[in-house]
Amino acid sequence: MLTEPHVHGRRLLHDWLPYCGKAPDPGGWLTNWNFAPELVACLLVVVGGAYWQRESLRATPTYAILIVFCLLYISPFCALGSALFTVRIIHDVILAAVFAPLLIAAFRLEDKSLPGTLTVWTAVHAITFLAWHAPPLYELAMRSDAVFWLMQISIVATAAAWWVKVIRSPSPAAATGLLATMVAMGALGALLTFAHRAYYAPHWLTTRLWGLSPIEDQQIAGIIMWAPASLVYLIAALTILYRSLGNRAAA
């Protein structure tokens, strides 16, 4: 039985004001769109830049980036992440496994040579992702807009650099990097799934209206990290190995 929400509830009601706003209730969350001026300005800059650089950008991933950006930061999905840690985990997995590869595809970053080895970037990306989900840093990101955006940018930047290294590496090394990242994601998922208490104070008071206890919300987030999120990296590794074997057979 958790005591944190009851002991500290009065204080927590005033402490957490995430970037995406207050945690919504099930009856009104679909109206919680976030048209913050900085988001609209960023979107307009991206659209304008994409138009002027349309000959050097790949169109399909560029459109996909805009759609994912709107989903994560403008749509009600953003506010839902203030209520449920499960949604916040899905948000961060999308950043690392979807948004970052789309950036690479749109801007042709796979052609860029980055310093450091795949091993180094695998470690950097994994440590960055895991560190931001340590309760103290996570709580800080849920309290400070500046820290929130630092979290978002660092996850995307390290993921993009890591994906570039995966793409540019020989098949065995690329598959190894993908499997290592899968293990790191799975480890976080297992920790969250089998924890004996809810770690994330920003969600102690926000899950009940959604029919979940804080520990149940955390466990669902862990299962998502452990299975679907890890599966992304496993499928990518198997695809690379399959193509490698096919190329060898054709040769």
Side-chain angles (χ1 to χ4, degrees), residues 1-249:
M1 185 73 177
L2 293 174
T3 59
E4 293 94 339
H6 306 288
V7 173
H8 303 294
R10 194 178 300 273
R11 174 181 62 81
L12 290 171
L13 283 171
H14 303 284
D15 272 5
W16 310 112
L17 186 58
Y19 176 80
C20 294
K22 284 185 175 181
D25 59 67
W29 77 276
L30 285 173
T31 64
N32 285 56
W33 291 79
N34 181 19
F35 293 107
E38 65 274 12
L39 284 180
V40 176
C42 181
L43 200 58
L44 291 175
V45 168
V46 171
V47 171
Y51 176 78
W52 289 110
Q53 298 294 323
R54 59 188 180 278
E55 293 185 1
S56 61
L57 295 178
R58 294 186 177 111
T60 299
T62 300
Y63 297 143
I65 286 172
L66 296 175
I67 292 171
V68 174
F69 183 89
C70 290
L71 168 68
L72 294 181
Y73 301 111
I74 295 178
S75 81
F77 184 82
C78 185
L80 191 57
S82 299
L84 300 173
F85 181 64
T86 295
V87 175
R88 182 58 58 192
I89 280 290
I90 294 172
H91 173 113
D92 295 343
V93 169
I94 290 174
L95 284 180
V98 179
F99 195 79
L102 285 175
L103 281 176
I104 294 169
F107 291 93
R108 305 178 190 271
L109 299 179
E110 71 275 10
D111 298 329
K112 303 296 183 182
S113 179
L114 296 176
T117 64
L118 174 59
T119 300
V120 168
W121 280 108
T122 300
V124 168
H125 175 50
I127 290 170
T128 300
F129 194 94
L130 296 176
W132 280 117
H133 295 89
L137 282 180
Y138 181 85
E139 292 171 15
L140 191 58
M142 292 291 280
R143 183 183 282 125
S144 165
D145 289 353
V147 178
F148 171 81
W149 283 111
L150 178 61
M151 175 190 190
Q152 305 301 292
I153 293 170
S154 62
I155 289 176
V156 172
T158 59
W162 173 75
W163 279 109
V164 168
K165 285 296 183 182
V166 168
I167 293 169
R168 292 175 61 89
S169 295
S171 296
T176 301
L178 285 160
L179 293 176
T181 302
M182 181 193 75
V183 170
M185 298 295 182
L188 175 59
L191 177 63
L192 297 174
T193 302
F194 295 109
H196 296 295
R197 66 181 183 87
Y199 290 126
Y200 299 96
H203 302 287
W204 284 347
L205 298 179
T206 61
T207 62
R208 299 291 181 180
L209 289 175
W210 295 86
L212 297 170
S213 68
I215 189 68
E216 288 170 338
D217 178 37
Q218 182 175 291
Q219 287 170 340
I220 294 171
I223 291 171
I224 289 172
M225 286 294 301
W226 202 0
S230 297
L231 189 60
V232 171
Y233 300 98
L234 178 60
I235 291 174
L238 292 177
T239 300
I240 287 174
L241 291 175
Y242 175 78
R243 289 179 176 176
S244 175
L245 293 174
N247 290 337
R248 290 183 181 179

